[in-house]
Amino acid sequence: MKPLIPAEVIQARIAELGAELDTLYGDDEVVVVPVLKGSFVFAADLVRAMRCNVTVDFIGASSYGESTKSSGEVRLTLDSSVSLMGKQVLLVEDIVDTGLTLAYIQKFIKSRSPAGLRTVALLDKPARRVAPVELFRVLFRIPDRFVVGYGLDGPGGLYRNLPFVAVL
Ligand code: IMP
């Protein structure tokens, strides 16, 4: 599969984002909340590019089932295991497509009364947005194509282990 976004390009943008977040959060503790499953690779690299005080807690969401088309119905598959009340939360998402998944998760996190909530996403497909979402940073805007790799899966859950992003 041919890379759409090569591994080195992804890593360079993550290093920049990590430095920006360090400056932003300073001495504050930040709870990094990756949305499973797709963001586990991005989040693993992002936290290692951050030098501020980081803790990590996962949530899980699923809107696709086994297909490549969004069902529009979001299911929470894993809840966070720590209290987010009064914390600085950094939500880490792999890709924002219709925005339905992220809108649902952002509402859910806000109901836990964090002191602050920012969302970073690796990829954004703005062409297909249905639900408005707040994004602090997006690393790459891409056209409306189904992509895999760097944590994102295709049919059957395959391709998450590719070190780059490719069009399926
Ligand atoms: P949304 O709710 O339509 O914004 O979809 C978001 C979720 O769908 C992401 O977190 C991914 O898990 C999945 N998704 C959307 N587009 C793609 C894609 O191109 N490749 C792989 N997964 C995708």
Side-chain angles (χ1 to χ4, degrees):
M1 230 177 281
K2 203 171 149 283
L4 174 70
I5 309 172
E8 319 79 72
V9 177
I10 297 174
Q11 295 306 327
R13 291 288 287 116
I14 289 178
E16 285 172 13
L17 178 59
E20 183 183 8
L21 293 169
D22 282 347
T23 307
L24 187 71
Y25 288 115
D27 292 332
D28 288 351
E29 183 190 314
V30 48
V31 187
V32 173
V33 180
V35 182
L36 295 175
K37 299 176 189 175
S39 71
F40 78 106
V41 177
F42 174 37
D45 283 342
L46 181 61
V47 292
R48 286 178 293 175
M50 294 167 74
R51 292 290 168 269
C52 58
N53 299 316
V54 163
T55 61
V56 180
D57 198 49
F58 298 94
I59 60 168
S62 167
S63 65
Y64 270 48
E66 294 290 300
S67 110
T68 59
K69 246 181 105 209
S70 179
S71 62
E73 184 190 308
V74 184
R75 273 188 312 123
L76 204 72
T77 55
L78 177 71
D79 193 358
S80 68
S81 61
V82 299
S83 168
L84 300 176
M85 191 184 288
K87 304 270 182 66
Q88 286 294 341
V89 175
L90 182 70
L91 200 56
V92 180
E93 180 62 299
D94 54 356
I95 183 165
V96 189
D97 188 16
T98 63
L100 290 167
T101 307
L102 189 56
Y104 178 89
I105 293 167
Q106 286 181 337
K107 197 171 157 207
F108 177 76
I109 300 243
K110 279 181 187 163
S111 74
R112 300 278 165 91
S113 308
L117 172 62
R118 289 188 176 88
T119 303
V120 294
L122 176 72
L123 304 170
D124 183 15
K125 284 198 267 193
R128 281 171 41 89
R129 191 76 86 255
V130 174
V133 288
E134 296 160 33
L135 294 168
F136 175 66
R137 287 289 175 267
V138 166
L139 294 197
F140 305 97
R141 292 218 157 72
I142 61 167
D144 183 14
R145 306 290 297 277
F146 193 84
V147 290
V148 296
Y150 200 70
L152 289 117
D153 69 329
L158 292 169
Y159 309 117
R160 290 193 197 273
N161 54 322
L162 293 177
F164 50 82
V165 172
V167 175
L168 184 69

